Amino acid sequence: MIQALRRLDQMKASTETNTLSSPTDAKQPSPVAHMLWTEPCVNGTWSRVSTLPNYAQIGLWTALNAGYEVHIWTYSDIFKGLPKHASLHVRRASDVLPRVRATAAIGTKKWVTAHIADWVRLLAAKACPGKSSSSIMAAGAHVVDVDAIHFG
């Protein structure tokens, strides 16, 4: 335990001395975060109603409070459990990945909803990178798990 604490102190000390050569070297990331929440596809059918569970609401709130403009994507028609917030935008996942393609991928039994979430978020970040960039590889948008905790 003591050795682990010493290593942690050493790592902290080494990171405190690392600085960028100039402030212009740092690119500010886009304040846009893309998330996906939808109920799982069962027997080729997506649920019409999704409810964001409490643990995901916490992650969403922390992203909003950290200053992100959050785009939450879904295949559901009705989305419950979302806070009212000016920086929260509910988007149709089928706008970036058609429901038919997502359903077909899950139908192969090699894909699950988590894989679809990754695919949708990456496509969304590319299509809607935010105001500060033109591609996902530039300052681009963040691809975020809805239950991740964010610190401002």
Side-chain angles (χ1 to χ4, degrees), residues 18-59:
N18 293 338
T19 58
L20 295 172
S21 57
S22 76
T24 57
D25 289 344
K27 291 194 179 199
Q28 294 298 317
S30 168
V32 175
H34 292 279
M35 302 175 171
L36 179 125
W37 184 266
T38 196
E39 301 300 320
C41 180
V42 178
N43 297 327
T45 304
W46 296 90
S47 176
R48 287 194 60 246
V49 179
S50 279
T51 301
L52 196 65
N54 291 341
Y55 68 88
Q57 290 178 27
I58 293 168

Side-chain angles (χ1 to χ4, degrees), residues 10 18 51 59 66 82 89 97 101 111 114 117-118 120 126 130 145:
Q10 290 170 348
N18 293 338
T51 301
L82 293 174
H89 310 281
L97 180 64
R101 281 190 76 191
W111 287 63
D118 292 341
V120 166
K126 184 176 180 185
D145 282 337

Side-chain angles (χ1 to χ4, degrees), residues 1-16:
M1 177 72 150
I2 292 172
Q3 290 175 338
L5 290 172
R6 284 185 185 147
R7 280 192 302 255
L8 185 61
D9 284 340
Q10 290 170 348
M11 287 174 25
K12 184 178 178 187
S14 69
T15 58
E16 288 173 353

